[in-house]
Amino acid sequence: MTSTASSPDTRQGQAAEERQPSSWQHRLRRFGYAARPRGDVRERLVPPYARPGDRLWVALGVPRQLSEPLVRWSGWLGPLAVALVAGLLRFWNLGSPKDVIFDETYYAKDAWALIHKGYELSWPDKINESVIKQGSDIALPTDPAYVVHPPVGKYVIGVGEWLFGFDPFGWRFMTAVLGTLSVLMLCRIGRRLFRSTFLGCLAGALLTVDGLHFVMSRTALLDQVLMFFVLAAFGCLLVDRDKARARLAAALPVGADGIARPDAYVAHTLRLGWRPWRWAAGLCLGLAFATKWNGLYIMVFFCLMTVLWDAGARRVAGADRPYLAAVRRDVLPAFVATVPVAVFTYLVSWLGWILSPSDGSGGYYRNWAATDGKDSDWSWLPDWLRSLWHYENKVYDFHVGLSSPHTYQSNPWSWIVDGRPVSYFYESPSPGVDGCPADTKEKCAREVLALGTPLLWWAAAFALLYVLWRWFFRRDWRAGAIVCGIAAGYLPWFMYQERTIFYFYAVVFVPFLCLALAMMIGAILGPPGSSERRRVVGAAASGVLVLLIFWNFIYFWPIYTGQAIPIDSWRSRMWLDTWV
C-alpha cells in the first residue's frame, strides 16, 4: 500500500474557499446560489469578453472580408452608433425654447460671469428678457453674488457660452455634449461590466431614450454635469479593477498543465503598483464634488466599493484573509489616489475666486479674512483659505436649512416611480402662434417636463429588485456595483427629507438604473447554453419590453422638447395627477 507521505497533497496552494464550500454558500443554495465551476483562476480574475457572432452579417450577405472587421471592431462601432443617435436627438433644435427656463436663470448667468470675471456676479431681477434680446452684448454687473454651488459645473456651461455666445444654444451646448458622451461611456462601461457588447449597447440605448436624461441634456443645470463626472469615475474604477486583477493573475504560479492556481503568498503580498486609472477616478470625483457637494457622498461609496473589489480579487487569488490583505496593501494607496486628489481638484476649481481682489471688489466673502475674520485664532493660515472656509461654512448652513416650499419639490421615496416630475417651461400659445396648429379649437400647450420615460423607470424599479437579489443571494459583483452606483446617488437624499429637494437630482443615478435594466433583460434573454425555445421566448419578451420603452419615449417627445400640441393631447400625457 502506498504511504500517504508519497502522495502529494493536491490541495496545497489552493484557497480555503476552494477546498471546502463556506457556510454562506451552503445557506444561499436554498435561494438558487450555485458556486462557479473552478478552472484557470486567471479567467476568474479577468473573464474574457464574449465574441460577437457573425450570423447577422452572413444573413445580410456581407462578404467575410468585410464582416470580420465589423465583428472585430463592434466593441467600438456599436457604442459609437448608439452615441450618434443620442447626439442627434439631443442637439436637434437645442436652442428651443428660446427662453431662460427653470434654474438656467442662475447657472447660465453665473457661467457667463465666471468665464469673464472668475467669480459669480449679482444680476438684477427680471433681467432674463434682456439676456434673450441682447445676448453677449449685455453689460456685466459689478457686485459679487452669493452662490451655494462650487464653480466647475458653471465653468463647463460657460465653455459653450464662450464658443457660441450668451444664448440658449450656447448655455445648453455643453450639457448636450456631456449627455451624448455619457451614452457612449455607458455603452463601454456596460460592455466591460457584462463582457457583452450587446448588453453594453442596450444600456446605452436605454439611456438615450430616458426622458429625464434627455431633458437634462438640453438644459443648463449642474446635475447633468455631476452625472457625467460620476459615471466617468465609475468607468475609471472599472478599468482599474480589470488592470489590477490582470496584474494579480499574471503573478500567480502556473502548473505543468498550463493552468494557474491560487497562491496564498502572492495574494497576500503582491503590491499592485501605481494605478493611473484610480488616480483618474480621483480626479473625476473631485470634479463631481466641485460641481455639487453631493459628489462627496458618491466618493465615499465608490472608495468603499473599490477596496471591496480589491479584497475580492485577493480572495480569488488565494488569500485566506482577503480583507486583511486589502487593508495592508490596498487601502492606503486607494485613499491617496482618490481623497487628496479630489480635495486638491476642488481647491483648484476655486482659483478664479482665490485670485480675485481681496479689497472688497473681488468674489463674495473674498475679503472676509481681512475684515470680520482678522482676529481669528487661525490667522496664521493664508487669508484666501480662511475666507474660503468661512464661505463654505455659510453654504453648508444654507444647504442643511433649505426648507422653503416649492411647487415641484418631491420626496425621494417617489423618485423611482416618477412621482413628481419638474416642469421647466410651460406656456399656452393661441392657435396659429408658436407652432400651435391654426385649426386648433382651444389653446395649445408647450412644456418641457423633466420626466423619466415612465415605462423605463417602472421596469427599472423591478430591475432594481432583481440586482439586489442577484447581489445578495447570488454574490454577483456586477449587481453589487450597480447597486452601489444607485445607492451613492440616491440614499443620501433620505437624510434630508425635510429639505427642499427635486426629482431631477435623480439624473445622477439614471445610468445605473439603465445598467440594472440591461442586466435584467439579459437574464430574460437566457443564460449561455439555453435551449432554442428558451432563447426565442426570452428574445420575444425582451424585445417587446424594449420596444414599449422606445415607443413611450416617442410618445412623450413633445413634452420633452417644448413642442406645441393641442391641450387635449397634453392632458392625455398627464398619466398621473402629480405630473400636472
Side-chain angles (χ1 to χ4, degrees):
M1 183 176 64
T2 307
S3 66
T4 56
S6 62
S7 299
D9 185 358
T10 57
R11 299 177 298 172
Q12 290 182 359
Q14 295 185 6
E17 65 164 352
E18 287 198 295
R19 295 196 294 270
Q20 181 178 356
S22 63
S23 59
W24 67 261
Q25 291 173 308
H26 286 299
R27 289 196 298 270
L28 294 182
R29 281 176 182 171
R30 71 187 68 177
F31 298 103
Y33 173 82
R36 294 181 181 179
R38 305 300 182 182
D40 194 320
V41 73
R42 290 173 296 190
E43 290 191 1
R44 291 171 52 211
L45 283 168
V46 188
Y49 287 89
R51 187 179 186 278
D54 59 356
R55 287 189 297 178
L56 174 63
W57 306 112
V58 172
L60 294 175
V62 177
R64 181 171 294 276
Q65 60 268 26
L66 180 59
S67 66
E68 287 185 353
L70 289 174
V71 171
R72 186 166 58 250
W73 288 99
S74 61
W76 275 106
L77 293 177
L80 285 171
V82 175
L84 176 62
V85 173
L88 291 174
L89 293 175
R90 280 150 178 76
F91 279 96
W92 176 83
N93 205 16
L94 182 61
S96 177
K98 189 176 175 60
D99 204 343
V100 181
I101 65 174
F102 199 61
D103 280 355
E104 287 183 344
T105 189
Y106 304 116
Y107 307 128
K109 291 181 286 189
D110 286 347
W112 186 249
L114 274 171
I115 63 173
H116 285 86
K117 297 286 288 185
Y119 55 91
E120 295 87 343
L121 300 172
S122 180
W123 295 79
D125 294 336
K126 300 180 180 180
I127 200 174
N128 289 345
E129 186 175 345
S130 298
V131 169
I132 294 299
K133 289 181 179 179
Q134 299 179 41
S136 302
D137 295 329
I138 196 167
L140 284 172
T142 56
D143 295 332
Y146 172 69
V147 296
V148 295
H149 292 299
V152 163
K154 289 166 280 189
Y155 274 122
V156 170
I157 293 170
V159 170
E161 295 175 336
W162 174 66
L163 291 172
F164 299 102
F166 193 33
D167 58 30
F169 180 87
W171 61 63
R172 295 170 192 161
F173 175 79
M174 284 304 298
T175 53
V177 168
L178 298 189
T180 303
L181 291 179
S182 64
V183 170
L184 176 61
M185 282 198 303
L186 190 66
C187 290
R188 294 289 298 177
I189 286 171
R191 179 178 184 270
R192 184 174 291 273
L193 190 69
F194 302 127
R195 291 305 198 255
S196 167
T197 300
F198 170 75
L199 290 181
C201 290
L202 175 61
L206 292 172
L207 188 63
T208 297
V209 297
D210 174 62
L212 179 60
H213 185 274
F214 176 78
V215 170
M216 295 297 286
S217 297
R218 295 167 55 86
T219 314
L221 269 64
L222 302 181
D223 299 84
Q224 184 77 350
V225 182
L226 173 64
M227 177 279 306
F228 176 82
F229 289 130
V230 169
L231 186 62
F234 182 83
C236 290
L237 290 175
L238 201 59
V239 176
D240 171 74
R241 180 184 186 274
D242 277 357
K243 299 288 185 182
R245 290 168 77 94
R247 193 173 296 123
L248 194 57
L252 293 174
V254 179
D257 54 1
I259 296 177
R261 291 179 172 82
D263 184 276
Y265 178 79
V266 171
H268 275 284
T269 61
L270 183 69
R271 295 183 182 275
L272 297 176
W274 187 61
R275 298 166 67 167
W277 284 101
R278 183 174 273 176
W279 288 77
L283 174 63
C284 292
L285 289 170
L287 292 171
F289 177 32
T291 299
K292 291 189 77 172
W293 273 11
N294 51 314
L296 189 59
Y297 289 113
I298 294 165
M299 181 170 65
V300 173
F301 275 84
F302 281 11
C303 287
L304 178 60
M305 177 183 68
T306 189
V307 171
L308 292 177
W309 283 353
D310 287 339
R314 292 185 183 276
R315 181 180 63 245
V316 173
D320 51 2
R321 303 177 71 181
Y323 294 99
L324 179 60
V327 168
R328 288 177 173 175
R329 300 297 184 192
D330 303 316
V331 169
L332 182 60
F335 176 85
V336 172
T338 51
V339 177
V341 172
V343 172
F344 178 75
T345 302
Y346 182 85
L347 289 175
V348 170
S349 73
W350 284 90
L351 195 59
W353 180 91
I354 292 170
L355 297 178
S356 68
S358 59
D359 58 1
S361 62
Y364 201 88
Y365 278 137
R366 180 61 185 86
N367 64 333
W368 178 85
T371 55
D372 295 343
K374 62 183 178 180
D375 297 325
S376 169
D377 294 337
W378 300 91
S379 57
W380 53 274
L381 290 173
D383 283 358
W384 67 265
L385 183 58
R386 292 192 295 121
S387 295
L388 181 60
W389 180 262
H390 177 75
Y391 195 165
E392 302 288 64
N393 185 60
K394 292 298 183 182
V395 169
Y396 176 78
D397 292 340
F398 170 85
H399 282 305
V400 298
L402 180 62
S403 58
S404 55
H406 193 284
T407 303
Y408 292 105
Q409 71 183 67
S410 60
N411 190 286
W413 286 107
S414 68
W415 292 357
I416 291 293
V417 293
D418 275 351
R420 181 58 169 162
V422 181
S423 180
Y424 288 172
F425 171 83
Y426 185 88
E427 68 177 18
S428 301
S430 301
V433 179
D434 287 341
C436 183
D439 58 353
T440 303
K441 296 180 180 180
E442 299 181 79
K443 287 186 176 182
C444 288
R446 288 187 67 201
E447 183 171 30
V448 176
L449 186 66
L451 169 72
T453 303
L455 292 186
L456 189 156
W457 279 69
W458 296 341
F462 290 98
L464 178 55
L465 296 176
Y466 170 73
V467 294
L468 283 168
W469 169 81
R470 185 90 191 176
W471 172 49
F472 191 76
F473 292 121
R474 300 298 296 271
R475 311 293 286 192
D476 192 326
W477 75 270
R478 302 168 302 172
I482 295 170
V483 169
C484 180
I486 296 171
Y490 189 25
L491 292 185
W493 292 112
F494 285 91
M495 297 187 296
Y496 303 102
Q497 294 189 58
E498 300 302 320
R499 184 186 184 275
T500 305
I501 55 180
F502 300 92
Y503 164 72
F504 64 82
Y505 296 169
V507 74
V508 175
F509 60 85
V510 166
F512 300 98
L513 289 179
C514 293
L515 287 173
L517 187 52
M519 189 173 187
M520 186 179 76
I521 291 173
I524 295 173
L525 282 169
S530 299
S531 66
E532 192 70 21
R533 182 176 181 179
R534 170 69 178 82
R535 284 286 191 175
V536 170
V537 172
S542 302
V544 169
L545 175 59
V546 172
L547 288 176
L548 284 174
I549 290 171
F550 285 3
W551 163 82
N552 204 207
F553 174 75
I554 295 171
Y555 179 71
F556 283 98
W557 172 269
I559 63 172
Y560 291 148
T561 56
Q563 302 295 298
I565 55 176
I567 193 68
D568 287 339
S569 296
W570 175 83
R571 291 192 188 107
S572 70
R573 288 166 171 80
M574 297 297 105
W575 287 0
L576 301 178
D577 291 342
T578 56
W579 292 3
V580 179

